[in-house]
Structure formats: C-alpha cells, structure tokens
Amino acid sequence: MKKGTVCEGTVERIQFPNKGIVRVEDTVLTVKNALPGQRVQVCVTKNRSGRGEARLQEVLEPSPLETVEQPCRHSGLCGGCLYQTIPYEEQLKIKEGQVRDLLRPVLGEILPMSPILASPRPEEYRNKMEFSFGDAEKDGPMTLGMHRRGSFYDVVTVEDCRIVDGDFRQILRAVLVYMQERQVPFYKKMARTGFLRHLLVRKAARTGEILVDLVTAPGYVPEEDFTEMLLNLPLKGRLVGILHTVNSAIADVVQSDETSLLYGRDYLVEELLGLTFRITPFSFFQTNSLGAEVLYEVARQYIGDTRGKRIYDLYSGTGTIAQILAPVAEHVTGVEIVEEAVEAARENAKLNGLTNCDFIAGDVLKVLDSLPEAPDLLVLDPPRDGVHPKALRKILDYQAERIVYISCKPTSLARDLVYFLEAGYRVEAVQCVDMFPATANVETVVQLSQQKPDDVIRVGLDLDELDITAAESKATYQEIKAYVKEQTGLSVSSLYIAQVKQKFGIIERENYNLSKSEDARQPQCPPEKAKAIVEALWHFKMIEGSI
C-alpha cells in the first residue's frame, strides 16, 4: 500500500493515548484520534513491511460506543478532548485496558492491578486552563480558546468547554469581547507582531478562589477598566487576583519575563485532604483538585507505614504529597526544578505548621548527589517523559524499602518499570486513577517493594525429571515470527522473541541476549510487539493462563 492511498476500515482498538488501529488488507495502520468501532476513511502517510500510519480524513460511521446525545459542541474541533461522545463508564474501560496492555509485557499476564478509580467529577473538573489568543482561520476575527486539533496556529474559541466550570467560560467570553471591542491585536508567532498571547485562569475547587493572568508580548499595558470589567462579572467563585505577565519568548509557551499585580494577590488558596495550599500562576498543582484527593489517598496507602522513616518526594511540585506524608514521618525532603513551586511548597509547609519537611530547588539528577542520607521510602511523580535514565540509576542505588511511582504517561511508566524489576524491586500493586475525563490521559500509581533475601523461596529441583527444553521445543523462532506477522502484521526479531521468552522464564541461548560489542546498546522490544509475541507463545502453548 503506497503513500497517499485512500482507503476505508474499521478501528479495532485504540492504543494509548489516541492511536486507533485499522487493518486494511494485509496492512495495519495507526490513525490518530479515531475511536474504537468507527468506520473511517484514511490516507496512508507511511507504510513499511505491512505496518503504517494514516491520517484520518472522515468518519464514515460512528462507533457503537458513541451514545452521548449532546457532547460539547467543540468536540472534534479543539485538541483537548477525545472521548466526549463516549459515556464515562466506557471511557474508564478503555483507559484501564490501555494501561493493562502496556504493563502486561513488563509485569506478565497476572497483573496486580485494581479496577480504575473514577474522577469525582466527570465534567467541569479542571482547576486551571491556559487559553490561547489567535484566529480560527488566517486573517479571520480574533479567537480565544484552544488550538484546533492537529494545528499549531488555528485557535477555536471554546466558550462551551465542558471540562471547566461556568466561571471559566464567562471569563473567557468577557475577555475576548473586551479585547475585540478595543481592537487589541493578538501575537502572531511568525511575524512577531501583536500583543495578546494567553489567558491563564485558575480556580480552587474547595474554596472557589479565582486567579486570572493576562499574558502578552512586551509593549502592552492593560487599561484600568480591564480589571473593573473582570471584577463586575457575576461569578460563582471569588476573584482574588488579577495579574499581567510579559512573555517575550519565541516559543508558544506560557512563561514569565515579568509579572505585575493588577488587583488582589498573586496566589489562590486550595484545600486538599485537610491541608491548605497557596497556588501561584505558574506553580504545578494537579489540575483536578477532587481527583487529586483520590490519587493522593492511593499514594498514601501505597507508601504504607511512615513512622520514623525518611522520605524523598522527587518531582514534588508545590509539595502536596510531601506535606500529606509529613505528619507521620520522621522527615520528608522534596525536590523540584521549578523554583516558584519550591517557594510555594515552603510557604505551604509553614501554612500547615509542618516543620519536618524541606524543599530543594533543582534538577533531581543533580540534587541527588548532594543529599547526605539515603531515604527509607521514595515517592516519584515525574513529568510525562518519566525519570531521566541517569537519575533513575541514582534512585535505584538508594535501595529504598518501598517506592511509590505516580505516572501521568503509562508508556513512560512501562519503560521505567523494567529498570526497577532488574534492580530487584517487585510490583505489589497498580492503580489507575482517571484525573482527565473526556481526554486520552490517565494517571497510574504503582507500589514497589525491594525484595530482601528472606523474600526468596529456594526450591530444589531434580533436573533429570524436569524437561527444561519442552516449552522451547513447541515452536521455532520462524514459526513465532510467522504467526505474529499473520495475526498482527508486525515483524519481530529473534532478539525480541528471546527477551519476551526470558521474562516468562524460558531459557535462552546467550547469543540472543548479548550485544555483539561491549559498547552496543541492546534494543528493547516495544510493548506492542511484546504483546504480539506473548500471544504467539500462548498460541503455541509455551506459556499457560489467560491473556
């Protein structure tokens, strides 16, 4: 199938985060933003050895799962939400299944995984939005909202967004009308002209406090009636701060060269699990406050008994987890690269009367070298890309009794878990928490424990009675490759097959497991191919159990 070929097919399943799988003749295509069960028309953009990628052109028939009668009217236009047309219960099943598929090749067929936990609010749950100024079409009227799906430039005014509450929508509409009436131009990234860049809005779920930050290019100064306009809005929450941030960066990111206070204060107050937190415009805080309570309750349960223990909270943000654990721990140290978040964490600790936790500003990779004592327990809440490999090695060297890994990207989690298993850790429990209803994202919490010598059960075997080659003799490598190709269209190497067989305890010859040179880095079997190999091993009865 050549590049540019237009074809039709049915989406069999969706891989994390948004990759629909469509089988057309003997080719397996990956199509972004297609839902399971949809009949779609696609255009092939890449194809190699029966495995390719395609661009979604049209949904010919909706999925049987799409039963929501009145989804957000921006559904399919803005790039924020994928599952608006699917009932929430089905969304949860999809996300849990995706995480299971990613972790199964790493942890085996029997996963210590509990059913996914839902967000307390499936709608209007977000406490922070970064709206962009722009236009929906070139030289069209100014818009304010989210980028159109698949576009770096077009912006859709999301005045009916369902994942934020009415105060967000009201502020968005009012600011857009205000700026349109005064003909203030938005910032054009390529031409580097205009002023308006972003509108950052935060609202605390528990206290109802609202913070608004207008982000512009240098040269624009908000008029006094801008503040008056916002203060006169009939909001359900309470506007406690209005700020103006100047951002001269070329990149389309929300950051501050200079921030000035137009009204009130530069932070809002949120309450979480009985603690109080000051949140500034740019400090990290979970975007679903009520969902965060569910998430951190799981983390607190997984970390277990903390009495007399020294804990490191790495990638600590505003110190939420550290402060939740501090009351019953000997000492908690948080490490976070964003200095503003660290300052907020320190203020929050004072606010909550906690004296046994401290926070260090810096890159985890570098800070770990300066910490004098090894921790008893570790909490990891890394960014989407996971833990830096060099930092991961230092973390493993601590040999902490227990580790709780909170992941916002299960593909990064699956990659990192391999290193924990190789270092002697055992995965005790896995819990998905849906922090982002309607979107393709999901949080996963993993409990790991260090296996001590007492954990090892020594068993004596009579090798004369054990046929250790029985499983291996059931199918050759060529037969496994042929089966995988026939069933999935994937091509797998002998090295990949050997890696998967080794995870199931099937003895492998040395030449399949070692690099050809000492300096060579051995490629690791991708999760999708590992899953296909596992299915082949099961088919040939080389492993047992259900898959």
Side-chain angles (χ1 to χ4, degrees), residues 202 270-279 283-289 292-293 295-297 299-300 313 315-327 332 334-336 341-342 344-346 348-349 352 354 357 359 379 381 406:
R202 304 191 84 141
E270 179 64 293
E271 296 174 354
L272 206 69
L273 295 174
L275 297 174
T276 301
F277 296 92
R278 290 184 180 183
I279 305 170
S283 60
F284 172 79
F285 195 82
Q286 289 285 355
T287 54
N288 181 343
S289 296
E293 291 189 323
L295 181 74
Y296 294 146
E297 280 284 15
R300 186 158 62 180
D313 177 13
Y315 313 97
S316 57
T318 51
T320 313
I321 299 176
Q323 292 172 70
I324 289 171
L325 299 176
V332 183
V335 181
E336 168 61 44
V342 172
R346 291 167 180 163
N348 290 330
N352 291 305
L354 300 172
C357 54
F359 298 93
V379 178
D381 190 0
I406 303 173

Side-chain angles (χ1 to χ4, degrees), residues 57 123 197 203 215 230 234 267 291 293 324 347 349 377 381 385 413 415 419 450 456 485 508-509 531:
Q57 288 193 324
E123 292 188 342
R197 301 193 66 162
K203 180 179 180 180
V215 183
L230 289 173
Y267 66 89
E293 291 189 323
I324 289 171
E347 289 296 322
L377 310 173
D381 190 0
D385 289 338
L413 171 65
R415 180 202 65 210
Y419 295 95
Q450 180 60 246
V456 180
K485 184 72 172 179
E508 288 300 329
R509 296 180 180 85
K531 181 176 183 294

